[in-house]
Amino acid sequence: MSRKGTEKFVICRDTEAVTHLEPGLFPAGRHSEWSEQNRTLTFAIHPLNNKIALAVAGKQPSPHLAKRAPVFEQDQVVHICGQPTADDSRLAFINDTHAVFSALQKIMEGEEHVGVDSLLRMSAVYREAMMRQLRELQAGEQTEFVVAETDTFQYMHAVWHLLEIIYLTTNLPGLSTSIVPHFMEWVNFNFPAPTAADGRRIVGDGSLVLANEELWPYIRKLAMRGHVSVLANMLERLVSAPELSAAAARWARDIARIARSMPLGSQEETAGSFNARWRRWNEELQNAATAIGSLLDPPASDVDVELEALYAVVDILRGNVDAIAAEGQSWLDVLGAILLYSEPTSQADRLPSLAILVAEQFPRTEFSVVDRSLFALLTHDLAEFLVFSNQIDPWLSAHISDVMDHISILDQCRAAFAAVDPREHYLVALGELYMAHEGLWRVGLDYFGLCGTPAARCVMAEYAVRVPLDSSVTVQQVLGLSQKYGLLRAEDRIHRQVAR
């Protein structure tokens, strides 16, 4: 039976997928005539991916049919059925990160000792690939799928970035081990708040309106996130507002000055010198809070709302944990503000206990999967961290488990996975996902091979002999990978298939 061509369609990812074929497999209004021609359905399943070829075929050979038997349009169409995957939109990302993964394995095999700085550079390349994919997604049409993919890549980058900071950045030789500036940079980059759009909406034509209900929440958010320069600019603009009281104008000016003088550590400065500068700065804030509080106590009949709002800002800046907890909209907000204003010299080993104390103030049932992943990472529950990372995306768990193995922290959670090695498990699972895509089978096989374990090689051998040998190029590629990883039985089976 001749075919004019193929008509591709996909099945939506619903609980129960419903597919409508055009043209329908049965001619409308001609069912009896179609049945008389002894037509039936035939299908073929692709050996690697989830696609099925579906067509109409005859029960009897065409010579046995009448010469003038009608030919239906349905007889000349092959339908290719399959579920859509994210791989098509990720092809460039998958190939780029596969190249980084391959290079990292060569580095780790070729050098007896790989420094933290080398691993940090490779980690940065992974993150840049994520950011490049994010930019492409954000620049395209914002369909439901694209929005979901954008969220996924933002979460992947946030998780990867925090892992990099905790285990690589703060372990660089000669670098200050304080986690605080790195953590604040991380939280502001991955979860930006307040946004630039918020500021433009509040400032408007350049003048601040005290009656704007968004003004003071915005200023407090600036304080929570450590944006002290922007905070100072906003307070200085307030000074010229005619409805501001003289006391409030004076303290707005003073708080702006104090905020601008917030101490920042440097590599050349000793910890003692920085602590002394920090104490003087904090004392100045304590004095400001005391002075403003005396103006508000006892409460006057005509309350100075702006003065109260300024006191709330000072309360955050001086590290009042209760004020920070009351203002924080998320546990990450609170954790960052406490580190920044109460414990500015904290090292990475302070994060687990502090994260637990902060997270206890928020309903754990409201935590998203990325919250759970980040919390597990901060508290060094690495087995849970990998499980939740896999729920975000299989790519993330596969590559993170590989990096964790290279920096010698994967052993801490291997016992929790019982008989399964986590790195092998996640890399093989990712390779199997890629094998289901007709354009990624070489990448999938390479992930099996580079995993380097006997079990992964067995999986690779099984998949290698299932690759459709539809061209001489494909044959040579499969044979090349089989030879590269020593898959002698697979190589022999492929030779026998070709010889048939």
Side-chain angles (χ1 to χ4, degrees), residues 224 282 285-286 289 311-328 334 337-338 341-343:
M224 289 287 292
N282 190 259
L285 285 169
Q286 298 287 357
Y311 181 84
V313 173
V314 173
D315 229 11
I316 294 171
L317 294 176
R318 67 181 178 136
N320 185 322
V321 175
D322 291 335
I324 290 172
E327 184 61 31
V334 176
I338 290 176
Y341 298 122
S342 299
E343 304 184 24

Side-chain angles (χ1 to χ4, degrees), residues 237-259:
R237 288 188 177 190
L238 280 176
V239 173
S240 58
E243 60 269 42
L244 198 66
S245 68
R250 175 209 164 188
W251 283 111
R253 189 182 298 109
D254 277 5
I255 296 169
R257 175 187 56 79
I258 297 171

Side-chain angles (χ1 to χ4, degrees), residues 411-484:
D411 288 339
Q412 299 176 29
C413 65
R414 275 194 162 100
F417 284 84
V420 180
D421 180 81
R423 177 178 178 271
E424 174 191 283
H425 171 73
Y426 289 121
L427 286 175
V428 168
L430 184 67
E432 289 181 326
L433 283 177
Y434 291 164
M435 292 302 298
H437 191 285
E438 58 190 16
L440 292 172
W441 63 264
R442 288 176 293 276
V443 174
L445 289 178
D446 213 29
Y447 270 95
F448 298 144
L450 290 172
C451 181
T453 64
R457 294 288 172 87
C458 289
V459 175
M460 181 183 181
E462 182 63 30
Y463 272 103
V465 298
R466 292 167 58 186
V467 174
L469 304 177
D470 50 11
S471 70
S472 59
V473 175
T474 301
V475 172
Q476 293 304 314
Q477 290 174 335
V478 177
L479 285 174
L481 285 169
S482 300
Q483 292 167 0
K484 176 181 177 181

Side-chain angles (χ1 to χ4, degrees), residues 81-126:
C81 314
Q83 284 190 321
T85 67
D87 296 338
D88 288 334
S89 64
R90 292 190 184 188
L91 282 176
F93 171 77
I94 290 171
N95 285 305
D96 289 347
T97 53
H98 167 247
V100 179
F101 175 77
S102 302
L104 181 57
Q105 310 317 305
K106 291 180 181 178
I107 291 173
M108 299 306 297
E109 291 175 3
E111 299 183 26
E112 185 174 345
H113 175 71
V114 179
V116 174
D117 53 344
S118 297
L119 291 171
L120 185 59
R121 284 195 294 271
M122 298 301 289
S123 177
V125 177
Y126 273 127

Side-chain angles (χ1 to χ4, degrees), residues 361-377:
Q361 311 305 314
F362 292 82
R364 197 66 61 86
T365 55
E366 296 180 5
F367 273 29
S368 66
V369 64
V370 70
D371 284 321
R372 295 177 186 278
S373 179
L374 294 171
F375 180 75
L377 175 58

Side-chain angles (χ1 to χ4, degrees), residues 379-436:
T379 56
H380 301 319
D381 188 348
L382 299 182
E384 285 287 293
F385 169 59
L386 284 174
V387 170
F388 289 125
S389 295
N390 189 62
Q391 292 178 20
I392 294 173
D393 196 89
W395 181 95
L396 183 63
S397 55
H399 290 85
I400 274 185
S401 61
D402 178 61
V403 170
M404 288 170 62
D405 188 47
H406 294 322
I407 59 180
S408 304
I409 62 172
L410 194 61
D411 288 339
Q412 299 176 29
C413 65
R414 275 194 162 100
F417 284 84
V420 180
D421 180 81
R423 177 178 178 271
E424 174 191 283
H425 171 73
Y426 289 121
L427 286 175
V428 168
L430 184 67
E432 289 181 326
L433 283 177
Y434 291 164
M435 292 302 298

